[in-house]
Amino acid sequence: MALIVRDSGLYESTDEDDCTVFSYFCQAHDRFYQREACGEGPHLVALHCEEHGPESMWPQPLMLMFPEGFDPPLSDAQLAWVRAEDDAV
């Protein structure tokens, strides 16, 4: 499974967004992803907001270990958020 963290075609959330309902959507099989039950073969999964549709997700702090491995790279806001989360721990 490949998880899309950021893509130019996905909605970029802001602090002003008040989104509460999220799921995962497999773009390879064009259906919601639940424990690999969306179809056979590789999965390309994105965060899906009920209000905005597919959206970029904020990376987890451990992702900071390899920021150059993301394509496209993490946005400045995402990288700053990860670093702030890492400093808080």
Side-chain angles (χ1 to χ4, degrees):
M1 175 189 77
L3 183 63
I4 301 171
V5 176
R6 181 169 182 251
D7 185 79
S8 60
L10 302 180
Y11 179 77
E12 290 283 342
S13 63
T14 64
D15 289 337
E16 289 79 35
D17 289 332
D18 193 23
C19 306
T20 58
V21 180
F22 294 94
S23 56
Y24 290 102
F25 190 84
C26 181
Q27 295 185 341
H29 297 106
D30 197 31
R31 65 182 91 172
F32 286 96
Y33 179 85
Q34 293 181 340
R35 298 188 186 122
E36 299 183 15
C38 68
E40 293 187 26
H43 303 279
L44 186 58
V45 178
L47 185 67
H48 190 274
C49 171
E50 185 177 83
E51 183 178 343
H52 300 109
E55 85 176 40
S56 293
M57 70 173 63
W58 291 101
Q60 301 300 312
L62 288 177
M63 293 176 178
L64 185 57
M65 293 172 62
F66 306 101
E68 66 279 354
F70 291 96
D71 185 25
L74 299 178
S75 69
D76 290 340
Q78 286 175 316
L79 194 55
W81 184 84
V82 170
R83 288 185 173 141
E85 287 291 308
D86 194 42
D87 290 343
V89 174

